Amino acid sequence: MSQFNLRKKARLSYYEIEEPNIDEYIYCSDCRDYVFEYCSIHGPLLVIPDNKVPAKTNFPSFVPRAALTIPDVFLHLAHSTIPDAGLGVFTTLTLPKNVRFGPYRGNITHTAASNYCWQIYDKNNKPSHMIDASNANKSNWMRYVNCSRHWCEQNLVAFQYRGQIYYRTIKTIPRFTELMVFYGTEFANKLKIDFRRYHKPLLFTGIFVWQ
């Protein structure tokens, strides 16, 4: 007759834990690696939220709602340094590296009907839909951030996190500097930006010089 050991044993689970998809990770530029939610070494990103805009405001109707969402302690709108680009977003205070803005607001669409679109990818890294901020009354201030023409102008990077687009500062940005992010090759081509020259060195003579 066999004997049974009735002592309590720890239960073993053979359930395979599902790894979170890339949408759950954030890139740490200091570690040069993707981390889950935040970097345990360098800490989380500094989040600057949008200004909250009430349903009714005292501003004239011609002032778009997107302009009112800008976090005006840190940023302000002014004419862009890029010729014929319209408005741009400028720093009011010096911003450190690893500041997060967003999310990018707009209408959900499945076609790139404007230059204000960002592509959203699903958990299988396949295109899901786009966020279109062409309507200034249904978007936020991030629509005014212009596309950098060269790597030396770029001070923001766009990234997807949990199904939404955010901007992150990639270096210290002095006050009164225009924020610029690279839109990607497809939209850069629409803006007549030559991606082949994007990473080439430039000559400076006190002003921005194109090769």
Side-chain angles (χ1 to χ4, degrees):
M1 182 176 178
S2 61
Q3 294 182 346
F4 295 93
N5 189 342
L6 300 180
R7 289 182 301 174
K8 292 184 178 180
K9 295 182 179 180
R11 291 188 177 183
L12 297 178
S13 175
Y14 296 97
Y15 174 76
E16 184 177 353
I17 299 176
E18 183 179 356
E19 284 290 328
N21 58 63
I22 195 65
D23 194 47
E24 297 286 336
Y25 286 87
I26 290 178
Y27 184 77
C28 177
S29 58
D30 295 308
C31 295
R32 295 185 178 182
D33 197 7
Y34 285 92
V35 295
F36 183 61
E37 293 188 343
Y38 67 92
C39 179
S40 59
I41 298 175
H42 300 102
L45 301 178
L46 175 61
V47 177
I48 296 182
D50 292 359
N51 274 358
K52 294 183 178 180
V53 182
K56 293 183 179 180
T57 69
N58 295 324
F59 289 91
S61 58
F62 60 80
V63 177
R65 190 175 184 83
L68 303 178
T69 65
I70 193 167
D72 51 8
V73 173
F74 304 94
L75 307 171
H76 63 274
L77 295 175
H79 288 289
S80 175
T81 56
I82 301 175
D84 302 320
L87 293 176
V89 179
F90 292 78
T91 56
T92 305
L93 303 174
T94 298
L95 296 179
K97 180 182 176 182
N98 290 332
V99 173
R100 192 193 81 177
F101 298 108
Y104 189 84
R105 300 293 187 185
N107 292 321
I108 295 177
T109 180
H110 294 280
T111 57
S114 74
N115 291 333
Y116 294 91
C117 292
W118 279 109
Q119 179 72 64
I120 301 296
Y121 295 86
D122 62 19
K123 63 180 181 180
N124 297 315
N125 203 30
K126 294 182 179 180
S128 171
H129 60 276
M130 291 186 173
I131 304 297
D132 185 354
S134 57
N135 188 334
N137 287 311
K138 294 185 178 180
S139 54
N140 63 352
W141 64 271
M142 294 171 69
R143 72 186 300 279
Y144 297 109
V145 177
N146 288 307
C147 182
S148 53
R149 300 165 293 179
H150 191 268
W151 65 267
C152 64
E153 286 187 320
Q154 183 178 354
N155 47 34
L156 298 175
V157 66
F159 67 97
Q160 180 177 322
Y161 180 61
R162 294 183 175 176
Q164 301 193 81
I165 295 295
Y166 296 88
Y167 291 169
R168 172 174 60 84
T169 59
I170 57 176
K171 55 187 174 183
T172 299
I173 307 175
R175 64 176 183 165
F176 307 137
T177 301
E178 183 171 5
L179 297 184
M180 293 194 191
V181 66
F182 187 62
Y183 288 177
T185 54
E186 180 179 353
F187 288 106
N189 288 333
K190 290 183 179 180
L191 297 173
K192 298 181 180 180
I193 296 173
D194 190 349
F195 185 67
R196 295 172 299 177
R197 298 183 179 182
Y198 191 81
H199 294 286
K200 288 186 177 181
L202 289 175
L203 298 177
F204 288 90
T205 58
I207 59 173
F208 194 88
V209 179
W210 284 97
Q211 290 182 331

